[in-house]
Amino acid sequence: MNKRLIGIVCGIIAAVAYGTNPLFSLNLYHMGLDVPSVLFYRFSVAAVVLGIILKLQGRSLRITRSQGIALLTGGITFALSSWTLYRSFLYMDAGIACAILFVYPMLVALIMIIFYHEKASPVTLGCIVLAMVGIVLLYQGDGKTTLSTVGVILVILSSLCYAIYIVGVDHSRLHRIESGKLTFWVLLSGALLFLVMTGCATELHPIPPTPQGWINVLGIALVPTIIPIFFINIAIKQVGPTLSAILGALEPVTAMLIGVCVFGELITLRIIVGTLLILIAVTVVVASRK
């Protein structure tokens, strides 16, 4: 198997794995866990697993004080992106939420244009308009009832936080920190934030009540968290960041399929067209920014 094919396969695995977020989170919601508790388990278990892997590889996790401040800021921003996304699942179908979340590359482009004076190309501006049309179609749902405005605002905030995190990593001292160490401390910072949000450092409320609950906890820490981190790094090395980002279009598609097939979420022609417009707009922007 040549390097390009390996990279493509790894990129697909990373995107599909990340798209399983609704599968585990919605199951845990149904068992009575709230959003901060679900995210605490996701971030903390993932940080422990990643930390063990890095230590077994002989890699250092030491950071300086100045790096620690930057990592805490980045970790909180990343955690807020997850919190707003997971909160949006309470107001709207998770598949549609993940489709709207995928506009984050457009927001990255806007941030670069507004704050870093990057030239706004006609292609980028056109794709931003196309993505907005897609969001409007998704917001209209089945054409008779609209989506929850609160849910849409939450998922757009999630996308914005993630875009800010991406730009922040690329334009701060975090850029010089090795990716494995960076991810570990970001996950740990997020875990601490959600521990505080649960309101009690010694007694999380609620705790998964059954073995199935703990299986979902392990699943949410590994499948949409650790696995994408591992495989996306391989994909980027083999085929580059542009193609890896384009393959990421499978992420919202996976989430939508899980929502429809597992949780009976709504799917209409309007939703399909809106999702396709977002995917096309993002793919063109990513490819044009190469």
Side-chain angles (χ1 to χ4, degrees):
M1 187 179 293
N2 60 47
K3 290 184 177 181
R4 182 174 177 80
L5 183 57
I6 291 174
I8 291 174
V9 170
C10 288
I12 291 173
I13 292 173
V16 171
Y18 194 79
T20 62
N21 264 304
L23 178 62
F24 302 103
S25 59
L26 294 182
N27 280 334
L28 289 169
Y29 291 170
H30 294 159
M31 295 177 188
L33 273 75
D34 56 13
V35 175
S37 294
V38 169
L39 287 169
F40 168 76
Y41 288 121
R42 179 192 178 196
F43 276 62
S44 60
V45 174
V48 170
V49 172
L50 182 59
I52 292 172
I53 292 173
L54 294 176
K55 278 298 183 180
L56 290 175
Q57 293 176 342
R59 293 153 75 177
S60 173
L61 296 176
R62 289 185 178 181
I63 55 173
T64 64
R65 180 177 299 180
S66 59
Q67 287 176 334
I69 296 172
L71 284 165
L72 181 62
T73 303
I76 290 175
T77 304
F78 185 80
L80 289 175
S81 174
S82 296
W83 181 76
T84 46
L85 175 64
Y86 276 49
R87 285 282 299 173
S88 74
F89 293 168
L90 302 177
Y91 296 93
M92 60 194 296
D93 288 350
I96 295 178
C98 290
I100 298 175
L101 175 73
F102 197 62
V103 301
Y104 69 84
M106 322 292 289
L107 298 179
V108 169
L110 277 175
I111 291 172
M112 295 304 297
I113 291 169
I114 295 171
F115 295 101
Y116 292 91
H117 310 295
E118 188 173 280
K119 185 177 180 180
S121 70
V123 172
T124 298
L125 296 177
C127 287
I128 290 172
V129 173
L130 189 63
M132 291 176 64
V133 172
I135 292 174
V136 170
L137 288 175
L138 291 177
Y139 181 74
Q140 292 176 337
D142 58 4
K144 299 177 182 178
T145 56
T146 59
L147 297 179
S148 164
T149 302
V150 173
V152 173
I153 291 174
L154 282 169
V155 75
I156 290 176
L157 286 175
S158 174
S159 186
L160 177 61
C161 286
Y162 191 50
I164 292 172
Y165 171 77
I166 291 173
V167 174
V169 168
D170 197 43
H171 291 78
S172 71
R173 67 187 66 205
L174 296 180
H175 184 69
R176 297 188 293 272
I177 301 176
E178 188 271 328
S179 61
K181 182 191 297 187
L182 169 66
T183 304
F184 169 79
W185 285 104
V186 165
L187 289 173
L188 188 59
S189 298
L192 292 174
L193 173 64
F194 293 122
L195 183 62
V196 172
M197 290 178 69
T198 61
C200 183
T202 59
E203 184 180 354
L204 292 176
H205 178 75
I207 294 174
T210 64
Q212 184 182 1
W214 286 106
I215 290 173
N216 278 280
V217 165
L218 189 60
I220 202 171
L222 296 180
V223 182
T225 311
I226 295 296
I227 289 177
I229 291 170
F230 177 76
F231 281 99
I232 197 62
N233 285 334
I234 297 176
I236 290 172
K237 290 179 181 178
Q238 300 298 334
V239 297
T242 300
L243 182 54
S244 298
I246 291 173
L247 291 172
L250 291 173
E251 171 198 323
V253 173
T254 301
M256 190 163 287
L257 287 174
I258 289 174
V260 172
C261 297
V262 179
F263 299 104
E265 294 181 351
L266 178 70
I267 186 72
T268 66
L269 180 60
R270 191 187 299 268
I271 290 173
I272 293 173
V273 173
T275 302
L276 285 175
L277 290 179
I278 291 174
L279 297 183
I280 291 169
V282 170
T283 299
V284 172
V285 164
V286 171
S288 66
R289 287 170 62 85
K290 180 179 178 181

